[in-house]
Amino acid sequence: MYKQRLALSLSNILLIVVTGLLVVLLWQLRSLLLTLMIAVVLAAAIAPLIDGAERLRLPRWLAVITVYLSLIGLITGAVVLIGPTVFGQIQLLSGRLPVYLETLRAILENLAVRFGITQPESISQLLDIQGLTSWAIGSSQQLLVRSYGFTRGIVGGALNLILAILLSGYMVADSQNLIKGLVELFPQPWEDRLAAQVEPVSQRMGGYIQGRVLVSAILAVAISFGLGILGLSEFALGLGAIAGFTNLIPFFGSVLGVIPALLVAVAQGGLTFVWVLLLFVIIQNLEAYVLDPLLVGSSVRVHPLYQLLAVLGGTQVLGIIGALIVPPWVAGAAVLLENLYLHPKMEAEEQVSALELSQPDGSSAMSVNR
């Protein structure tokens, strides 16, 4: 008896030590794990394009090369064509931001006087330019520092992105052998069950990324075009690019993209602010009620609360990168939860209910328990 207790204690201690070492190892490899997470998301998003190219009777390795080179060429062409204009407008906008904030503060102070507020200086305290600038810079730095800790700086982040692209290409090129090697680590029947979940998980994760990118691109074009018509052509492309990029982040991104455009509109005076605000109201309603349900919601099928928690948790741990890649992983995990637990649980409960209804005396339930 004593020997059994000693062996049990030693096994528990060994388990704790191994778990601790595993946690330390994973923490040391956090940059690689983040790269793998990004690579899986990219592979899931690009896999449908590879499958489509393969249906044209191209070898899979050639389909991978063709799709990747096409996407890289498309992105490079867009950057070359409009990149300098966009970056120039954003730089000019950042330089004029203090002036726009001063204008906003003066307008609010005048409104306060008109409405009989006897202490308009409280508006000045509320819109403390130095305080707002310091807060914005500090918050951005915190998000970047969290990402910095995992990507190890700008150069490391660029190298990790290149590595993630290469890994995602390898994943989609040799996906069958890779998946087979992974699921064989599990005993039956889990090997077959997990193998059957690869395609729906990939579709859910890939559909999320494809939908978000497509919606953001549509909004960026629509906002740039609309702001140009409303007289903000000096910053139209830059503001559209900002709104499109921030829109990649669910829930908060669309709000963040509105703020710079409204500041510029306030400085223009007249009815420009009203028209710009109306433009964003129309576009955001179009996104919320048409584009998101059509292009994103149909593929994600995750409760908005869980999506919000995924964005908040991802931002808290991984900064901006986490806000982008954690939601698709939550969508993929939801598939596993549905197919491996919730659906079998519901089927088992329905079988038990059917047996109980067929034999009300309860003998069937006893036989099932046996």
Side-chain angles (χ1 to χ4, degrees):
M1 187 68 178
Y2 174 76
K3 291 182 178 181
Q4 292 179 350
R5 291 180 178 178
L6 180 61
L8 182 60
S9 300
L10 291 176
S11 62
N12 291 335
I13 294 174
L14 180 61
L15 179 60
I16 294 174
V17 171
V18 171
T19 303
L21 293 175
L22 181 61
V23 171
V24 173
L25 178 62
L26 292 177
W27 177 253
Q28 294 297 323
L29 296 176
R30 61 189 182 277
S31 180
L32 178 60
L33 293 177
L34 178 60
T35 303
L36 287 175
M37 290 177 65
I38 298 173
V40 170
V41 172
L42 291 176
I46 297 175
L49 299 177
I50 305 295
D51 295 336
E54 194 176 17
R55 282 193 288 269
L56 299 176
R57 297 184 179 180
L58 290 177
R60 191 165 184 84
W61 64 269
L62 182 58
V64 172
I65 295 176
T66 302
V67 170
Y68 271 75
L69 289 180
S70 300
L71 291 175
I72 292 173
L74 181 62
I75 295 172
T76 303
V79 172
V80 170
L81 288 176
I82 66 173
T85 303
V86 170
F87 293 134
Q89 291 184 3
I90 293 176
Q91 185 177 8
L92 181 61
L93 176 62
S94 62
R96 295 187 183 179
L97 185 59
V99 178
Y100 294 151
L101 289 174
E102 286 285 358
T103 303
L104 177 61
R105 182 169 64 179
I107 293 174
L108 292 178
E109 287 179 353
N110 292 332
L111 290 176
V113 172
R114 290 184 180 181
F115 285 100
I117 299 177
T118 57
Q119 294 180 340
E121 63 273 6
S122 60
I123 302 296
S124 300
Q125 296 176 358
L126 180 63
L127 290 178
D128 182 11
I129 295 178
Q130 293 183 350
L132 288 174
T133 305
S134 301
W135 174 82
I137 294 175
S139 300
S140 302
Q141 286 178 345
Q142 288 181 359
L143 293 176
L144 292 176
V145 163
R146 292 192 182 98
S147 301
Y148 177 91
F150 284 84
T151 59
R152 304 194 182 278
I154 297 177
V155 176
L159 293 176
N160 283 342
L161 179 59
I162 294 174
L163 180 59
I165 294 174
L166 294 175
L167 288 175
S168 65
Y170 177 79
M171 289 177 182
V172 294
D174 197 28
S175 57
Q176 293 183 352
N177 292 330
L178 183 62
I179 294 169
K180 181 179 179 182
L182 288 175
V183 299
E184 284 180 349
L185 298 175
F186 297 88
Q188 288 288 2
W190 286 103
E191 179 179 345
D192 295 335
R193 291 177 181 175
L194 292 175
Q197 304 310 313
V198 173
E199 183 175 356
V201 169
S202 176
Q203 290 177 351
R204 188 78 64 92
M205 296 178 69
Y208 176 87
I209 294 297
Q210 294 164 9
R212 287 244 64 91
V213 171
L214 186 57
V215 169
S216 298
I218 293 173
L219 293 185
V221 173
I223 290 171
S224 298
F225 184 74
L227 292 178
I229 293 177
L230 295 177
L232 301 183
S233 56
E234 187 179 10
F235 301 107
L237 286 177
L239 293 172
I242 292 173
F245 177 77
T246 57
N247 193 75
L248 292 172
I249 303 174
F251 300 101
F252 307 106
S254 57
V255 177
L256 295 175
V258 173
I259 296 174
L262 292 180
L263 287 176
V264 176
V266 167
Q268 297 292 326
L271 294 176
T272 305
F273 176 81
V274 177
W275 286 114
V276 171
L277 181 61
L278 181 62
L279 172 67
F280 275 95
V281 169
I282 294 174
I283 289 178
Q284 288 190 0
N285 277 277
L286 178 66
E287 176 193 3
Y289 296 106
V290 179
L291 296 178
D292 270 350
L294 182 63
L295 300 176
V296 182
S298 60
S299 60
V300 177
R301 287 181 287 177
V302 177
H303 194 279
L305 175 61
Y306 300 140
Q307 295 184 45
L308 176 61
L309 293 176
V311 173
L312 294 176
T315 305
Q316 185 69 25
V317 177
L318 299 175
I320 297 176
I321 298 176
L324 298 176
I325 67 169
V326 171
W329 275 91
V330 171
V335 176
L336 296 179
L337 181 64
E338 292 172 5
N339 295 341
L340 298 180
Y341 175 70
L342 294 179
H343 291 170
K345 176 176 175 290
M346 293 176 61
E347 291 176 358
E349 291 176 349
E350 290 175 357
Q351 291 178 359
V352 172
S353 300
L355 290 173
E356 290 178 349
L357 290 174
S358 62
Q359 297 183 4
D361 58 355
S363 58
S364 60
M366 295 176 60
S367 62
V368 170
N369 292 332
R370 291 176 185 175

